Amino acid sequence: MNKCFLMILCLMAFIPGVHSADGGYPKVILKGDYADPTILRDGNDFYMTHSAFVYAPGFLIWHSTDLVNWQPLTRTMTAITGSAYAPDLIKHGDKYYIYYPSNGTNYVIWADNITGPWSSPIDLKTGLIDPGHVVGEEGKRYLHLSKGMMVELTDNGLAIAGEPFKTYEGWQYPRDWEVECFCLESPKLTYKDGWYYMTSAEGGTAGPATSHMVVSARSRSAKGPWENSPYNPIIHTYSADEQWWSKGHGTLVDDAQGNWWIVYHAYEKDSHTLGRQTLIDPIKWTEDGWFLLDKDRASLKSDPYFSGMELSDDFSSDKPGIQWTTWGRYDEQNFLLENNSLYMKGKGTTPRNGRLLLITAPYKNYQIQTEVTVEENNSGGLVLFYRDNVFAGITSDGTHFTIYKSADEKEEVVNKFGKHFFVKIINQQDICTIQVSGDGREWETVSENLDVSGMHHNNHRGFFALRPGIVATGEQTVRFHDFKYTAGVLAPKPAFRDPVYDGAADPVVIWNPFFKKWWMYYTNRRATETHLPGVSWVFKTPIGIAESTDGANWTYAGTANFPELPEEAGGENATLWAPDVVAGNDGKWHMYLSIQPGVAERWGVVPGYIAHLVSGDMRDWQYVRKFDLPAGSYDADVIRMPDSTWRMYYKDPTGGASTFYYMTSENLYDWSEPVRVLSQKGEGPIVFNWKDYYWMILCDGLGFTTLRSADAEKWELQPGGKLMPDGTGTGIDDIPAALHGEIVISDNRAYLYYFTHPGRVGEDKNKDGFDQRRSSIQVVELMFKDGWISADRNQPTFVQLNNPKE
């Protein structure tokens, strides 16, 4: 059971060649529009900020203790003048400073504490851009600037102490490289072992995929002369076939263990609307004092339970959340929060000049929705906003819905709901669907196939991103209630059907680093062989494999290979059921499989057991042993515990009862004696840790029975009945009870993959034909409220499974 991506990430450190084959780096540490990163280590803490541009409050500071899992800490500045970008966050003495260019000059703000309060901007009255702070060998403070220039600062760092002067000419890249411009900029200074290292950007920050780069030079003095690195460029995109385009604007940082890293930004291929995202690579130092990428460093471990920044807002606080920014100056007087609603003063007549609150979208697949109430002479709605002349969205004044396909193209449809309505934008790979509703349950599509893929810098300049948000126009206040952002790819119903036997069941989902896709192993019963008598069609089954790049759309990828099953497993007549697959610390994948060594027409004729198999490539499996458990013990489910030991939960049917046990292991090979957990009707246990509880979900053929535990020892039955019981579904192939599933957790969201027998409904429920035998895989997102979980399979499911290497 893929309960935690940490299993996979730990494994990668032990597999020869996986680092280079799977590309553990570059690793994304902030997805979405977080350009021009500047990073500071302060003891064991890391702080990072990025370009604010015209968004306010500006300069959001992030905090991390491990360089890969980041949380928003504070926003520093509401007074935006011009476009504030390319900051340098530093600590000097006991004060923090952010130097940045804007409006044709350079500014500084400072604070005694990283969380603020931060000072008002101080104009340094010097031109050029991209200031990089350094303390010279004589103790004086300087700023390096674009075009290889530098200027001295006063001792307090709040003013310049002279005129800028030339210090560096840059590194000359090959003249046949396709770049945007020479553009020597973003100098960041690092002092190490008697050398000053200047990390700069060249090639231009956008334009062609191969434009940007990071170059290095060093000097014994902060003022030069500078010697270029023989390893330049340190970072560069060499081909448009690469995943990351226009890589550049790097800065160095070390950790408390002495490891060094370079943090920089890049556009993801074909994803310019998201803006430039923040990436990290490990670096190593040569014996003669240069640095270059370390291609052998084990990947940093992302936390699947870490959600970054919460982008939805129920407006239950007393001011807009940290996720929100305005377009231009921020004034709290324009926003009132009370009664779980946001009251936003309108202005202007369209999103071009209206009042906006925007969020930064980290993914290209998502939906936003909100509830809106308007007054006389105003409008409210949702937008995807790049700049004042580049946007799309929907607003209404209570009479008509105005659909903006662009700033210059719009259409109107009648609003039959009046002044209180719901609006939704579904964005899937920059192709949008816009929907409206009167109750938030039944939706009507008013626009589809709306293409916003061209709304980015290469077409419209500005270095912004296409940001989702809300808009209020007119003379009155617009009320917004419950803004919801949901990332993910809209999963079809069903998510998968096996094209060979049409009997996919018991799914388990895990990342395959060799193919860089999600793999689903599943029991594959022979539903198409309708001539088989009794229940023999569920015997002699292979383990099927489906694959997916997004966790929502699946295609058939063949079967797992078990070439040397012993006679005790049935040899060529083996029946293979209910696989569970985990990645171990030994460089192998481990499968715990229910096996019946033969074929039968009736249940209970062929005794079965749980077997252990291993694989080095996730396709070919070797038999290790069978477990010495009572006959008919099935449905192993393995979970990693906080102390790094493993637990295997399974069903023991001794005495005709459903009793569940677990065994523990430190290495996935040697297991303890069984420990009794509980007796509860069901099978196929799914055990996982989520939202501060351990959960156990059991299948009894009528739906899912759910239990929770604070310690994984004492279990409490969830009130309110089963999840997704028989007859409650309405989607394609999803009417009958949900059966034997799998949980995958990503960004603290939990997805339940399960199967159904679509034909087992109504008067046909007890028949035994193809329609009753076939099965389909479905997926639903679990919801958590008031300490318990729910699953609404009739609502659209947006799946966001993050690539573990990112």
Side-chain angles (χ1 to χ4, degrees):
M1 188 75 62
N2 182 27
K3 310 300 186 312
C4 183
F5 295 166
L6 293 178
M7 300 177 193
I8 305 166
L9 294 167
C10 289
L11 173 64
M12 290 182 180
F14 296 90
I15 304 175
V18 164
H19 180 87
S20 57
D22 187 47
Y25 294 99
K27 188 176 188 68
V28 187
I29 55 176
L30 279 182
K31 296 187 73 68
D33 186 30
Y34 296 104
D36 304 325
T38 172
I39 188 167
L40 164 68
R41 179 169 74 88
D42 191 6
N44 291 319
D45 295 293
F46 299 94
Y47 302 103
M48 181 166 59
T49 193
H50 305 80
S51 286
F53 298 115
V54 299
Y55 306 107
F59 296 130
L60 171 61
I61 294 179
W62 294 80
H63 171 252
S64 175
T65 57
D66 59 12
L67 283 172
V68 66
N69 298 295
W70 294 84
Q71 292 183 324
L73 186 64
T74 187
R75 290 190 184 271
T76 65
M77 186 174 63
T78 59
I80 292 289
T81 302
S83 183
Y85 59 98
D88 192 25
L89 170 65
I90 64 107
K91 185 179 184 182
H92 183 73
D94 58 356
K95 296 185 185 299
Y96 299 88
Y97 302 81
I98 297 177
Y99 293 91
Y100 66 93
S102 183
N103 224 25
T105 183
N106 284 273
Y107 293 87
V108 61
I109 58 176
W110 64 272
D112 291 320
N113 190 297
I114 192 71
T115 60
W118 285 78
S119 73
S120 297
I122 300 169
D123 188 352
L124 297 175
K125 297 182 173 60
T126 183
L128 303 169
I129 62 172
D130 296 8
H133 179 274
V134 67
V135 178
E137 60 274 19
E138 76 286 14
K140 292 183 179 294
R141 300 174 67 176
Y142 299 92
L143 288 182
H144 282 261
L145 299 161
S146 59
K147 299 183 179 179
M149 303 293 285
M150 70 181 296
V151 65
E152 185 178 343
L153 293 172
T154 57
D155 290 344
N156 64 8
L158 303 181
I160 61 171
E163 294 297 320
F165 56 93
K166 189 79 170 181
T167 182
Y168 179 52
E169 296 293 338
W171 175 75
Q172 185 54 61
Y173 47 80
R175 296 189 180 277
D176 61 348
W177 281 13
E178 186 179 3
V179 299
E180 188 179 29
C181 55
F182 181 67
C183 296
L184 176 60
E185 56 196 19
S186 86
K188 295 292 187 292
L189 281 297
T190 305
Y191 182 74
K192 182 181 185 295
D193 299 335
W195 289 99
Y196 290 89
Y197 293 88
M198 179 157 43
T199 308
S200 303
E202 293 179 358
T205 56
T210 56
S211 59
H212 217 11
M213 68 191 80
V214 176
V215 301
S216 173
R218 72 181 183 184
S219 172
R220 291 293 187 183
S221 168
K223 294 185 284 188
W226 297 92
E227 175 189 6
N228 283 313
S229 170
Y231 300 102
N232 281 338
I234 307 300
I235 300 286
H236 183 51
T237 302
Y238 291 92
S239 166
D241 293 332
E242 296 180 33
Q243 180 184 2
W244 295 102
W245 290 6
S246 299
K247 295 186 293 188
H249 201 104
T251 182
L252 302 185
V253 66
D254 66 336
D255 60 32
Q257 290 72 45
N259 302 304
W260 282 83
W261 310 83
I262 185 166
V263 177
Y264 57 99
H265 68 204
Y267 288 105
E268 189 167 10
K269 180 180 179 181
D270 299 325
S271 300
H272 276 65
T273 55
L274 291 179
R276 290 165 294 175
Q277 307 184 48
T278 302
L279 282 65
I280 194 170
D281 258 302
I283 62 170
K284 61 184 178 182
W285 296 89
T286 64
E287 292 184 0
D288 55 348
W290 295 104
F291 67 86
L292 67 161
L293 295 184
D294 184 354
K295 298 185 181 298
D296 298 317
R297 184 97 51 93
S299 181
L300 287 165
K301 298 179 179 68
S302 300
D303 186 348
Y305 301 95
F306 176 77
S307 58
M309 190 190 310
E310 176 59 57
L311 296 179
S312 296
D313 196 342
D314 62 4
F315 302 122
S316 60
S317 63
D318 58 354
K319 62 181 180 180
I322 198 171
Q323 68 267 51
W324 295 107
T325 61
T326 58
W327 176 257
R329 184 173 291 272
Y330 179 88
D331 188 343
E332 285 189 6
Q333 294 182 353
N334 295 317
F335 311 101
L336 173 65
L337 282 96
E338 60 183 20
N339 301 322
N340 287 339
S341 295
L342 166 66
Y343 297 85
M344 190 160 80
K345 290 183 181 179
K347 76 180 185 75
T349 57
T350 74
R352 183 190 300 269
N353 52 19
R355 193 173 311 283
L356 300 161
L357 275 183
L358 305 171
I359 61 172
T360 301
Y363 302 106
K364 284 187 69 175
N365 297 286
Y366 60 86
Q367 76 166 19
I368 55 173
Q369 75 175 65
T370 192
E371 180 181 352
V372 184
T373 305
V374 296
E375 301 178 17
E376 296 295 331
N377 300 317
N378 70 346
S379 296
L382 294 172
V383 291
L384 302 179
F385 193 87
Y386 182 77
R387 60 184 309 163
D388 53 2
N389 61 348
V390 183
F391 57 84
I394 181 171
T395 64
S396 181
D397 60 0
T399 303
H400 294 87
F401 286 106
T402 302
I403 301 145
Y404 293 92
K405 297 183 177 180
S406 69
D408 301 316
E409 182 182 358
K410 64 182 181 180
E411 64 179 84
E412 291 188 347
V413 298
V414 174
N415 178 356
K416 61 185 179 183
F417 310 117
K419 295 185 178 300
H420 175 245
F421 53 88
F422 296 76
V423 283
K424 177 190 295 185
I425 299 177
I426 303 171
N427 186 349
Q428 299 282 280
Q429 298 287 317
D430 289 329
I431 304 299
C432 299
T433 300
I434 300 178
Q435 297 179 331
V436 297
S437 174
D439 58 10
R441 294 186 295 273
E442 299 293 328
W443 293 88
E444 177 182 330
T445 297
V446 294
S447 181
E448 54 188 342
N449 297 318
L450 174 56
D451 189 345
V452 297
S453 61
M455 296 183 180
H456 58 75
H457 171 83
N458 276 0
N459 291 331
H460 301 286
R461 316 309 293 169
F463 293 110
F464 309 128
L466 188 62
R467 299 197 178 200
I470 56 179
V471 57
T473 66
E475 302 172 359
Q476 305 297 324
T477 297
V478 178
R479 173 184 175 265
F480 295 93
H481 179 73
D482 198 16
F483 175 86
K484 295 179 180 179
Y485 167 92
T486 306
V489 178
L490 182 60
K493 275 193 170 298
F496 177 72
R497 287 177 65 177
D498 177 80
V500 179
Y501 294 112
D502 214 355
D506 312 331
V508 59
V509 176
I510 188 170
W511 177 254
N512 186 316
F514 303 106
F515 289 91
K516 301 178 185 178
K517 293 181 180 180
W518 293 97
W519 269 25
M520 179 193 296
Y521 296 91
Y522 58 91
T523 302
N524 198 3
R525 285 100 63 92
R526 297 176 292 167
T528 54
E529 297 188 8
T530 55
H531 63 282
L532 294 174
V535 295
S536 60
W537 61 278
V538 304
F539 286 80
K540 196 177 179 181
T541 58
I543 295 299
I545 300 173
E547 62 184 16
S548 174
T549 58
D550 53 33
N553 297 284
W554 296 86
T555 58
Y556 182 67
T559 59
N561 298 326
F562 303 91
E564 297 177 358
L565 288 178
E567 286 302 315
E568 71 175 19
E572 293 183 356
N573 290 317
T575 294
L576 311 178
W577 288 339
D580 192 29
V581 180
V582 296
N585 290 338
D586 59 349
K588 295 181 179 180
W589 282 262
H590 297 252
M591 180 182 290
Y592 300 90
L593 188 63
S594 297
I595 292 182
Q596 289 218 345
V599 178
E601 296 182 20
R602 294 183 294 108
W603 296 115
V605 174
V606 180
Y609 58 87
I610 298 172
H612 178 201
L613 303 97
V614 297
S615 175
D617 62 7
M618 302 184 72
R619 174 74 75 173
D620 299 309
W621 295 87
Q622 295 180 330
Y623 188 89
V624 177
R625 70 178 179 108
K626 76 172 183 176
F627 286 87
D628 186 15
L629 298 172
S633 295
Y634 289 136
D635 298 345
D637 182 80
V638 179
I639 180 174
R640 192 78 177 266
M641 302 301 290
D643 63 0
S644 295
T645 61
W646 302 84
R647 280 192 185 183
M648 179 197 297
Y649 289 82
Y650 64 94
K651 173 186 174 179
D652 180 335
T654 302
S658 296
T659 304
F660 295 90
Y661 290 81
Y662 73 75
M663 300 183 293
T664 62
S665 175
E666 295 183 355
N667 58 15
L668 293 172
Y669 291 92
D670 304 305
W671 294 85
S672 71
E673 291 298 313
V675 176
R676 185 181 181 278
V677 180
L678 54 83
S679 290
Q680 178 74 44
K681 182 180 179 181
E683 60 185 23
I686 315 169
V687 183
F688 58 102
N689 183 265
W690 185 56
K691 301 292 186 180
D692 298 323
Y693 288 101
Y694 288 92
W695 301 90
M696 182 183 297
I697 296 179
L698 305 174
C699 167
D700 67 358
L702 301 175
F704 286 122
T705 299
T706 304
L707 304 100
R708 75 177 185 187
S709 172
D711 57 7
E713 298 293 343
K714 298 178 180 178
W715 295 87
E716 179 183 8
L717 184 66
Q718 175 166 306
K722 302 179 187 300
L723 297 181
M724 298 183 287
D726 189 34
T728 58
T730 59
I732 298 173
D733 281 9
D734 202 21
I735 296 174
L739 304 169
H740 195 132
E742 146 81 323
I743 292 290
V744 181
I745 296 173
S746 179
D747 271 357
N748 211 16
R749 295 168 65 185
Y751 303 95
L752 171 56
Y753 292 84
Y754 60 98
F755 80 96
T756 67
H757 282 294
R760 298 182 182 182
V761 295
E763 61 184 19
D764 295 330
K765 186 172 184 176
N766 296 317
K767 293 181 179 179
D768 185 25
F770 168 70
D771 287 337
Q772 289 71 39
R773 291 182 175 186
R774 78 175 182 90
S775 52
S776 297
I777 305 295
Q778 308 279 358
V779 62
V780 66
E781 182 173 0
L782 298 184
M783 297 292 115
F784 178 84
K785 185 178 181 181
D786 299 329
W788 297 103
I789 59 178
S790 62
D792 188 348
R793 55 175 162 169
N794 298 323
Q795 290 296 315
T797 296
F798 291 84
V799 180
Q800 182 61 58
L801 297 190
N802 293 336
N803 180 336
K805 80 180 183 66
E806 298 181 354

